[in-house]
């Protein structure tokens, strides 16, 4: 939405409301489908956990999540939500663009250095009902379209005003400077052929030291991290484009489609085509923004 309103003066730049581009409910208890590290270039996300337990990884921090927690994602941040069990966490997920709060970069809902998980406490039932109203009204009726946009903006504004968790509640992954440099290198080259020897040479360290340092800090080897980045990108392409699985395999760095399909199924828990079908069936909004 791009209508100005004096009521929003002091909240959004140019008094423009954000635009809700998609809404989704992940049903609790279904077989878990993993969504490895990924990011978005043109939107921010807000999630409400309504049931279950898990962990939210974003940037270089990890946060425990449970029923009633709001989970925040800023544009460009690498993130993933991991269930603590073999079944899905129950979440509502909303994607916003044109979000420009005063004193924050475009499509940032909170400061990047603030905690990315906040408890809703006594607001939980109200926020859950609001999420359901958005999903129920997501259709082609112009009046409901406007209602959904206004409800979405209201949800976002209430969420960003919730009190942050104490900083010590977030669990830093204690990544060393070297681990951060390894991540930065892989993030820049993960769709290309990668060899540990080349990574180590570029960072002026030995292969054993590189591998040990990175796995101790992240729980993954450098190559495992690169694979998770590839699969995360493949998931984004599956749900935001009409590219075939074969073409997506090539885009993320795999010439062998069968190997890509096997790897995707092992990591995600379902095949690329089934993943696309399942996700799009539950989506309300524009898939191109995912």
């Amino acid at each position: 939405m791009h209508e100005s309103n004096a009521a929003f003066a002091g909240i959004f730049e140019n008094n423009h409301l954000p635009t809700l581009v998609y809404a989704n409910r992940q049903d609790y208890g279904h077989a878990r489908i993993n969504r490895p590290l990924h990011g978005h270039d043109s939107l921010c996300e807000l999630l409400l956990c309504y049931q279950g337990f898990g962990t939210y990884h974003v940037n270089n921090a990890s946060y425990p999540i449970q029923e009633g927690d709001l989970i925040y994602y800023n544009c460009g941040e690498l993130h993933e939500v991991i269930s603590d069990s073999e079944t899905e966490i129950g979440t509502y997920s909303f994607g916003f663009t044109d979000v420009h709060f005063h004193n924050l970069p475009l499509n940032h809902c909170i400061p990047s250095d603030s905690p990315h998980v906040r408890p809703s406490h006594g607001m939980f039932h109200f926020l859950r009902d609001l999420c359901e109203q958005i999903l129920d009204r997501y259709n082609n009726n112009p009046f409901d379209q406007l209602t959904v946009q206004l409800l979405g903006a209201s949800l976002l504004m209430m969420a960003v005003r919730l009190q942050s968790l104490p900083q010590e509640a977030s669990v830093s992954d204690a990544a060393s400077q070297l681990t951060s440099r390894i991540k930065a290198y892989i993030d820049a080259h993960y769709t290309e052929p990668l060899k540990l020897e080349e990574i180590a040479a570029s960072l002026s360290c030995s292969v054993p030291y590189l591998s040990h340092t990175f796995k101790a800090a992240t729980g993954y080897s450098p190559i495992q991290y690169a694979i998770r980045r590839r699969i995360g990108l493949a998931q984004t392409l599956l749900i935001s484009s009409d590219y075939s699985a074969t073409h997506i395999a090539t885009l993320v760095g795999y010439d062998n489609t069968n190997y890509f399909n096997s790897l995707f199924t092992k990591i995600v828990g379902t095949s690329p085509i089934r993943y696309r079908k399942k996700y799009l069936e539950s989506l309300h909004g524009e898939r191109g923004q995912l």
Side-chain angles (χ1 to χ4, degrees):
M1 295 180 63
H2 299 286
E3 295 297 328
S4 296
N5 190 316
F8 299 102
I11 299 176
F12 299 108
E13 293 286 346
N14 301 318
N15 302 338
H16 285 173
L17 285 176
T19 301
L20 177 66
V21 291
Y22 65 80
N24 175 267
R25 178 177 53 239
Q26 179 172 279
D27 292 329
Y28 173 77
H30 286 187
R32 187 176 73 190
I33 296 180
N34 295 319
R35 181 78 162 101
L37 281 171
H38 63 284
H40 308 293
D41 295 329
S42 61
L43 56 81
C44 60
E45 286 183 323
L46 177 68
L47 280 71
L48 174 65
C49 176
Y50 68 83
Q51 194 170 359
F53 298 88
T55 305
Y56 180 50
H57 299 293
V58 60
N59 297 328
N60 287 325
S62 299
Y63 303 88
I65 53 176
Q66 61 183 338
E67 178 182 302
D69 283 345
L70 281 154
I71 303 160
Y72 303 77
Y73 160 75
N74 291 324
C75 176
E77 295 176 337
L78 292 177
H79 63 291
E80 65 178 330
V81 174
I82 300 177
S83 172
D84 281 351
S85 70
E86 293 303 312
T87 58
E88 296 275 25
I89 301 173
T91 59
Y92 298 96
S93 175
F94 303 94
F96 297 90
T97 191
D98 303 323
V99 177
H100 205 174
F101 287 103
H102 286 298
N103 302 318
L104 287 179
L106 181 64
N107 292 325
H108 278 54
C109 51
I110 57 173
S112 294
D113 59 354
S114 68
H116 283 50
V117 171
R118 303 179 185 183
S120 60
H121 295 306
M123 292 286 291
F124 172 55
H125 293 293
F126 177 81
L127 293 175
R128 180 171 182 174
D129 288 344
L130 183 56
C131 293
E132 285 290 340
Q133 286 291 323
I134 293 172
L135 289 167
D136 288 345
R137 294 176 181 272
Y138 222 123
N139 56 56
N140 294 323
N141 182 303
F143 293 98
D144 281 344
Q145 288 180 3
L146 177 58
T147 300
V148 161
Q149 291 298 326
L150 293 173
L151 291 176
S154 299
L155 174 66
L156 183 61
M157 286 189 292
M158 284 187 285
V160 301
R161 294 190 64 191
L162 288 173
Q163 184 177 0
S164 302
L165 286 169
Q167 191 67 39
E168 61 269 20
S170 66
V171 183
S172 172
D173 70 359
S176 66
Q177 184 177 7
L178 175 60
T179 300
S180 297
R181 291 170 63 202
I182 297 169
K183 276 188 176 181
Y185 183 94
I186 296 174
D187 289 341
H189 301 282
Y190 68 93
T191 60
E192 306 167 13
L194 283 176
K195 294 183 178 180
L196 289 177
E197 291 79 8
E198 294 174 354
I199 302 174
S202 71
L203 300 178
S204 301
C205 64
S206 69
V207 169
Y209 182 65
L210 176 144
S211 298
H212 173 77
T213 299
F214 192 83
K215 187 163 186 177
T218 68
Y220 300 105
S221 72
I223 298 304
Q224 287 173 327
Y225 177 77
I227 291 171
R228 290 175 64 79
R229 289 299 323 274
R230 286 182 172 191
I231 298 303
L233 175 58
Q235 288 176 297
T236 297
L237 293 171
L238 282 165
I239 61 181
S240 65
S241 75
D242 291 318
Y243 294 150
S244 68
T246 299
H247 185 49
I248 289 173
T250 302
L251 291 175
V252 301
Y254 295 107
D255 294 329
N256 187 320
T257 304
N258 289 333
Y259 179 68
F260 165 72
N261 287 339
S262 175
L263 194 62
F264 186 100
T265 301
K266 179 179 178 181
I267 293 175
V268 177
T270 189
S271 70
I273 299 306
R274 288 180 178 175
Y275 174 78
R276 169 183 273 168
K277 183 176 184 295
K278 180 182 183 298
Y279 195 94
L280 294 182
E281 282 176 349
S282 62
L283 179 69
H284 299 267
E286 302 175 28
R287 61 183 294 197
Q289 294 286 343
L290 296 168

